[in-house]
Amino acid sequence: MIDERRPISPQDIQLRQAVRADAPLILWLEEVGMKEYATAIWGSWRPSATVKEIDVSNHQMVEIEGQAIGCIATTRLEELLKLDKIYLDPAFRNLGIGTHVLQRVIEMGDDLGLPVSLSVLRTNPALRFYMRAGFAIKSETPVRRILKRAPSGKHR
Protein backbone atom coordinates (compact mmCIF):
# COMPACT_ATOMS: atom_id res chain seq x y z
CA MET A 1 0.00 0.00 0.00
CA ILE A 2 1.28 3.43 -0.88
CA ASP A 3 2.12 5.72 2.02
CA GLU A 4 0.24 8.88 1.00
CA ARG A 5 2.14 10.95 3.58
CA ARG A 6 5.47 10.33 1.84
CA PRO A 7 6.29 12.62 -1.08
CA ILE A 8 6.33 10.84 -4.45
CA SER A 9 9.55 11.19 -6.42
CA PRO A 10 10.08 10.41 -10.12
CA GLN A 11 12.06 7.31 -9.10
CA ASP A 12 8.92 5.95 -7.38
CA ILE A 13 6.96 5.98 -10.65
CA GLN A 14 7.33 2.93 -12.85
CA LEU A 15 5.82 2.01 -16.20
CA ARG A 16 5.16 -1.61 -17.11
CA GLN A 17 3.52 -3.26 -20.10
CA ALA A 18 -0.20 -3.77 -19.54
CA VAL A 19 -1.57 -7.31 -19.49
CA ARG A 20 -5.08 -8.60 -20.15
CA ALA A 21 -5.83 -8.58 -16.38
CA ASP A 22 -5.38 -4.77 -16.43
CA ALA A 23 -8.35 -4.29 -18.79
CA PRO A 24 -10.97 -3.56 -16.08
CA LEU A 25 -8.69 -0.99 -14.42
CA ILE A 26 -7.88 0.67 -17.76
CA LEU A 27 -11.58 1.02 -18.55
CA TRP A 28 -12.33 2.35 -15.05
CA LEU A 29 -9.52 4.91 -15.38
CA GLU A 30 -10.96 5.97 -18.74
CA GLU A 31 -14.42 6.39 -17.24
CA VAL A 32 -13.34 8.41 -14.20
CA GLY A 33 -11.03 10.46 -16.39
CA MET A 34 -13.30 11.14 -19.35
CA LYS A 35 -17.00 10.59 -18.50
CA GLU A 36 -17.63 14.15 -17.31
CA TYR A 37 -16.05 15.72 -20.40
CA ALA A 38 -17.65 13.29 -22.88
CA THR A 39 -21.07 13.75 -21.32
CA ALA A 40 -20.70 17.54 -21.57
CA ILE A 41 -20.20 17.16 -25.33
CA TRP A 42 -22.35 14.19 -26.34
CA GLY A 43 -24.86 14.07 -23.48
CA SER A 44 -23.95 10.54 -22.43
CA TRP A 45 -21.02 8.28 -21.73
CA ARG A 46 -19.92 5.33 -23.86
CA PRO A 47 -16.66 3.52 -23.03
CA SER A 48 -14.18 3.05 -25.88
CA ALA A 49 -14.32 -0.75 -25.51
CA THR A 50 -15.47 -3.57 -23.28
CA VAL A 51 -13.18 -5.67 -21.10
CA LYS A 52 -13.28 -8.40 -23.77
CA GLU A 53 -12.66 -6.02 -26.69
CA ILE A 54 -9.93 -3.72 -25.39
CA ASP A 55 -6.49 -4.14 -26.93
CA VAL A 56 -3.97 -3.62 -24.13
CA SER A 57 -0.90 -4.15 -26.33
CA ASN A 58 -0.17 -0.41 -26.66
CA HIS A 59 -0.89 0.34 -22.99
CA GLN A 60 1.53 0.76 -20.13
CA MET A 61 0.48 0.84 -16.51
CA VAL A 62 1.71 3.59 -14.21
CA GLU A 63 2.75 2.08 -10.90
CA ILE A 64 3.98 3.26 -7.53
CA GLU A 65 5.31 0.62 -5.15
CA GLY A 66 3.83 -2.08 -7.40
CA GLN A 67 0.32 -0.60 -7.29
CA ALA A 68 -1.20 0.41 -10.64
CA ILE A 69 -2.53 3.96 -10.34
CA GLY A 70 -2.85 4.94 -14.00
CA CYS A 71 -2.14 4.10 -17.59
CA ILE A 72 -0.86 5.51 -20.84
CA ALA A 73 -1.36 4.30 -24.39
CA THR A 74 0.82 5.33 -27.31
CA THR A 75 0.91 4.53 -31.01
CA ARG A 76 4.07 4.94 -33.04
CA LEU A 77 3.33 6.18 -36.51
CA GLU A 78 5.90 6.84 -39.21
CA GLU A 79 5.81 10.61 -38.68
CA LEU A 80 4.93 10.92 -34.98
CA LEU A 81 4.34 9.32 -31.61
CA LYS A 82 0.66 9.58 -30.72
CA LEU A 83 -0.35 9.75 -27.07
CA ASP A 84 -3.73 8.03 -27.13
CA LYS A 85 -4.39 7.95 -23.36
CA ILE A 86 -3.00 9.26 -20.13
CA TYR A 87 -5.21 8.51 -17.14
CA LEU A 88 -4.55 8.61 -13.41
CA ASP A 89 -6.63 7.42 -10.50
CA PRO A 90 -8.22 10.60 -9.06
CA ALA A 91 -6.54 9.93 -5.69
CA PHE A 92 -3.15 10.42 -7.38
CA ARG A 93 -3.81 13.55 -9.40
CA ASN A 94 -2.14 16.90 -8.73
CA LEU A 95 0.92 15.25 -7.18
CA GLY A 96 3.24 15.69 -10.15
CA ILE A 97 2.79 12.10 -11.33
CA GLY A 98 1.01 13.06 -14.56
CA THR A 99 3.71 15.61 -15.35
CA HIS A 100 6.42 12.98 -14.85
CA VAL A 101 4.59 10.39 -16.96
CA LEU A 102 3.96 12.91 -19.74
CA GLN A 103 7.65 13.81 -19.65
CA ARG A 104 8.50 10.15 -20.19
CA VAL A 105 6.26 10.07 -23.28
CA ILE A 106 7.93 13.24 -24.56
CA GLU A 107 11.34 11.59 -24.01
CA MET A 108 10.13 8.53 -25.96
CA GLY A 109 9.33 10.85 -28.86
CA ASP A 110 12.67 12.63 -28.49
CA ASP A 111 14.52 9.29 -28.50
CA LEU A 112 12.73 8.38 -31.74
CA GLY A 113 13.28 11.87 -33.18
CA LEU A 114 9.51 12.19 -33.53
CA PRO A 115 7.03 14.83 -32.44
CA VAL A 116 4.38 13.77 -29.92
CA SER A 117 0.76 14.39 -30.84
CA LEU A 118 -2.45 14.05 -28.87
CA SER A 119 -6.03 15.20 -28.90
CA VAL A 120 -7.99 16.64 -26.01
CA LEU A 121 -11.73 17.18 -25.77
CA ARG A 122 -12.68 20.86 -25.76
CA THR A 123 -14.46 20.36 -22.43
CA ASN A 124 -11.35 18.90 -20.76
CA PRO A 125 -9.31 21.36 -18.68
CA ALA A 126 -6.19 19.21 -19.27
CA LEU A 127 -5.40 21.52 -22.20
CA ARG A 128 -3.45 23.77 -19.77
CA PHE A 129 -1.47 20.74 -18.55
CA TYR A 130 -0.35 19.92 -22.11
CA MET A 131 0.41 23.54 -22.99
CA ARG A 132 2.69 23.82 -19.93
CA ALA A 133 4.58 20.78 -21.26
CA GLY A 134 5.33 22.51 -24.55
CA PHE A 135 2.45 21.28 -26.69
CA ALA A 136 0.80 23.69 -29.12
CA ILE A 137 -2.62 23.54 -30.74
CA LYS A 138 -2.19 22.46 -34.37
CA SER A 139 -5.86 22.11 -35.34
CA GLU A 140 -9.33 22.16 -33.85
CA THR A 141 -12.70 20.57 -34.49
CA PRO A 142 -15.97 21.39 -32.76
CA VAL A 143 -15.17 18.54 -30.32
CA ARG A 144 -11.36 18.27 -30.03
CA ARG A 145 -8.11 20.16 -30.08
CA ILE A 146 -5.17 18.43 -31.73
CA LEU A 147 -1.86 19.24 -30.07
CA LYS A 148 1.72 18.57 -31.09
CA ARG A 149 5.13 18.96 -29.51
CA ALA A 150 8.28 18.92 -31.62
CA PRO A 151 11.14 16.65 -30.54
CA SER A 152 13.82 18.46 -28.57
CA GLY A 153 16.71 16.83 -30.36
CA LYS A 154 18.64 16.37 -27.12
CA HIS A 155 17.85 12.65 -26.70
CA ARG A 156 18.77 11.37 -30.16
Side-chain angles (χ1 to χ4, degrees):
M1 194 69 178
I2 299 168
D3 180 356
E4 295 170 5
R5 297 166 298 185
R6 186 176 64 82
I8 297 169
S9 73
Q11 295 77 21
D12 296 328
I13 304 165
Q14 302 299 316
L15 295 178
R16 69 159 171 82
Q17 179 60 47
V19 295
R20 170 91 355 235
D22 293 315
L25 177 58
I26 291 168
L27 292 172
W28 177 80
L29 290 164
E30 176 185 66
E31 183 171 350
V32 299
M34 297 301 298
K35 184 176 183 177
E36 174 185 352
Y37 311 120
T39 302
I41 291 173
W42 294 294
S44 63
W45 168 249
R46 194 178 92 226
S48 63
T50 66
V51 170
K52 289 182 180 180
E53 298 169 337
I54 191 168
D55 178 4
V56 301
S57 65
N58 68 334
H59 288 71
Q60 291 182 288
M61 303 308 295
V62 178
E63 291 187 332
I64 296 177
E65 296 178 9
Q67 179 182 335
I69 56 127
C71 70
I72 62 169
T74 57
T75 303
R76 182 181 175 178
L77 302 173
E78 189 174 318
E79 70 282 358
L80 59 85
L81 180 65
K82 186 172 178 254
L83 177 58
D84 300 306
K85 298 177 184 173
I86 181 168
Y87 303 136
L88 286 179
D89 180 319
F92 294 92
R93 292 183 191 156
N94 300 311
L95 299 174
I97 298 166
T99 299
H100 178 72
V101 171
L102 181 59
Q103 186 57 44
R104 286 197 186 177
V105 173
I106 290 166
E107 289 171 5
M108 283 184 230
D110 288 350
D111 289 345
L112 296 167
L114 296 173
V116 177
S117 178
L118 61 93
S119 74
V120 63
L121 294 177
R122 286 182 160 280
T123 52
N124 189 335
L127 176 65
R128 291 185 304 273
F129 168 69
Y130 298 122
M131 301 292 276
R132 281 194 310 267
F135 286 82
I137 298 171
K138 293 300 176 190
S139 63
E140 299 186 56
T141 72
V143 173
R144 299 179 184 280
R145 290 184 174 101
I146 311 303
L147 288 78
K148 198 178 224 182
R149 185 183 190 286
S152 71
K154 64 182 176 186
H155 291 279
R156 286 189 220 174

